[in-house]
């Protein structure tokens, strides 16, 4: 299923994109798309049954409707740094022996076509297309990558916007270059795991002002999705509605020759993970 949330920011309602591409209203079936729904097999079964039954779900006119983040009440966002071989190469970094972790606050999440704000004082705002993993079952001390995949509810397109000076040159942890307002567009859809048979076979692409900058595949991940979930479960408990941003392929501004083409107000970024939907953001000053 392709689950999504539509409406004004803070007042989104649950919806579904059916097999014919028609937007359908889910408000009569579930209150929201969130961790509670993803952890409730019977509620998901009701959604599936309604989606398969003709005429049960009212159609919504998509014209002029804002698409919000596909997941409400996000618990935590755990991010994996330097998780693609080609990205490590372009930045001159050694391939990590274990996953590099940092966090993004849930309040960085915006819709897939919402404005992204370039922070005040920023000189190095960068782009990163990523595969986002959404947890559907509580995960503690998992034993295998296969168990890790079994705890995934679905997948989404994410944009891990980053300010490199704040992240790398200002001391401390990476988090202050990752948590600026609007720095995690998510969506448009949450695609349930049954529709993504192999999360290590997904092309990712990103364009800036129409120019292709990133063109990679999740096959190049150093730590694949199942292993990332297993690994994280030994350091923290993962709950339904938690999100994992799994890293970005080569092609970011930081990895390009000087003068590096960092983002500025007026730029337009478009990105997609194949099968998970496309985003488009116009950048403005904060």
């Amino acid at each position: 299923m392709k689950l999504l949330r539509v409406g004004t920011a803070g007042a989104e309602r649950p919806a579904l994109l059916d097999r014919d591409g028609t937007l359908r209203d889910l408000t009569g079936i579930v209150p929201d798309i969130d961790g509670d729904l993803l952890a409730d097999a019977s509620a998901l079964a009701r959604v599936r049954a309604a989606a398969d039954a003709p005429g049960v779900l009212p159609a919504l006119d998509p014209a002029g409707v804002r698409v919000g983040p596909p997941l409400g009440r996000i618990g935590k966002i755990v991010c994996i740094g330097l998780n693609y071989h080609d990205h490590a190469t372009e930045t001159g970094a050694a391939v990590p022996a274990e996953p590099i972790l940092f966090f993004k606050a849930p309040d960085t999440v915006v819709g897939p076509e919402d404005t992204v704000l370039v922070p005040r004082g920023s000189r190095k705002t960068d782009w990163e297309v990523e595969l986002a993993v959404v947890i559907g079952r509580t995960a503690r001390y998992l034993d295998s990558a296969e168990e890790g995949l079994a705890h995934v509810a679905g997948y989404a397109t994410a944009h891990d916007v980053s300010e490199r000076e704040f992240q790398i040159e200002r001391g401390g942890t990476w988090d202050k270059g990752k948590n600026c307002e609007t720095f995690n567009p998510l969506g448009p859809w949450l695609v349930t795991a049954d529709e993504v048979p192999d999360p290590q076979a997904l092309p990712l692409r990103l364009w800036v002002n129409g120019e292709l900058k990133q063109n990679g595949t999740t096959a190049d991940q150093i730590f694949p999705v199942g292993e990332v979930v297993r690994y994280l479960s030994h350091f923290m408990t993962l709950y339904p509605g938690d999100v994992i941003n799994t890293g970005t392929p080569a092609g970011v501004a930081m990895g390009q020759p000087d003068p590096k083409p960092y983002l500025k107000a007026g730029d337009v970024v478009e990105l997609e993970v194949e099968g998970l939907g496309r985003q488009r953001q116009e950048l403005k000053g904060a």
Side-chain angles (χ1 to χ4, degrees):
M1 294 185 292
K2 292 181 173 68
L3 304 173
L4 65 162
R5 301 165 71 246
V6 298
T8 57
E12 296 92 347
R13 57 179 171 173
L16 176 145
L17 195 69
D18 71 15
R19 293 185 178 89
D20 298 324
T22 300
L23 187 64
R24 300 283 179 181
D25 189 357
L26 284 179
T27 54
I29 307 296
V30 294
D32 203 356
I33 310 299
D34 58 15
D36 288 345
L37 172 65
L38 300 177
D40 188 339
S42 62
L44 286 171
R46 289 198 304 272
V47 173
R48 292 183 189 279
D52 292 337
V56 171
L57 297 177
L60 294 172
D61 183 357
V65 173
R66 172 184 174 269
V67 176
L71 185 66
R73 297 195 304 148
I74 294 170
K76 56 182 172 285
I77 303 170
V78 189
C79 305
I80 309 300
L82 289 174
N83 196 29
Y84 283 72
H85 292 278
D86 60 1
H87 178 49
T89 298
E90 75 169 346
T91 59
V95 172
E98 296 188 41
I100 296 171
L101 309 184
F102 61 93
F103 287 86
K104 281 197 160 185
D107 63 10
T108 61
V109 173
V110 293
E113 297 195 357
D114 288 347
T115 299
V116 166
L117 299 175
V118 178
R120 296 178 185 180
S122 169
R123 297 184 302 146
K124 297 182 179 181
T125 295
D126 207 346
W127 58 80
E128 295 190 24
V129 59
E130 304 208 1
L131 171 67
V133 173
V134 180
I135 298 298
R137 296 167 51 195
T138 300
R140 295 183 182 92
Y141 298 106
L142 303 182
D143 291 325
S144 67
E146 291 74 21
E147 278 191 274
L149 285 178
H151 285 71
V152 173
Y155 302 91
T157 300
H159 187 184
D160 175 20
V161 189
S162 308
E163 213 298 342
R164 302 302 190 186
E165 182 182 9
F166 298 176
Q167 175 190 351
I168 298 168
E169 302 173 31
R170 299 288 295 273
T173 68
W174 285 10
D175 299 280
K176 63 189 175 189
K178 296 285 190 172
N179 281 278
C180 303
E181 186 179 7
T182 73
F183 263 28
N184 203 145
L186 188 67
W189 316 314
L190 169 58
V191 179
T192 51
D194 59 296
E195 294 197 9
V196 184
D198 184 359
Q200 304 312 138
L202 299 174
L204 310 87
R205 304 176 188 89
L206 182 144
W207 298 259
V208 178
N209 300 325
E211 181 180 351
L212 181 64
K213 295 293 190 180
Q214 291 184 275
N215 187 13
T217 170
T218 55
D220 191 49
Q221 286 186 341
I222 298 166
F223 304 103
V225 169
E227 171 58 18
V228 165
V229 177
R230 183 209 66 79
Y231 180 88
L232 291 176
S233 77
H234 287 255
F235 296 92
M236 65 193 76
T237 303
L238 299 172
Y239 295 101
D242 285 351
V243 175
I244 304 169
N245 287 347
T246 59
T248 199
V252 299
M254 181 175 65
Q256 298 187 29
D258 292 328
K260 301 181 190 299
Y262 287 111
L263 295 168
K264 60 187 183 302
D267 287 339
V268 174
V269 179
E270 298 170 275
L271 59 145
E272 65 181 6
V273 179
E274 191 165 294
L276 305 183
R278 189 177 178 102
Q279 301 186 2
R280 181 184 187 277
Q281 295 110 32
E282 296 183 22
L283 277 76
K284 296 182 179 179

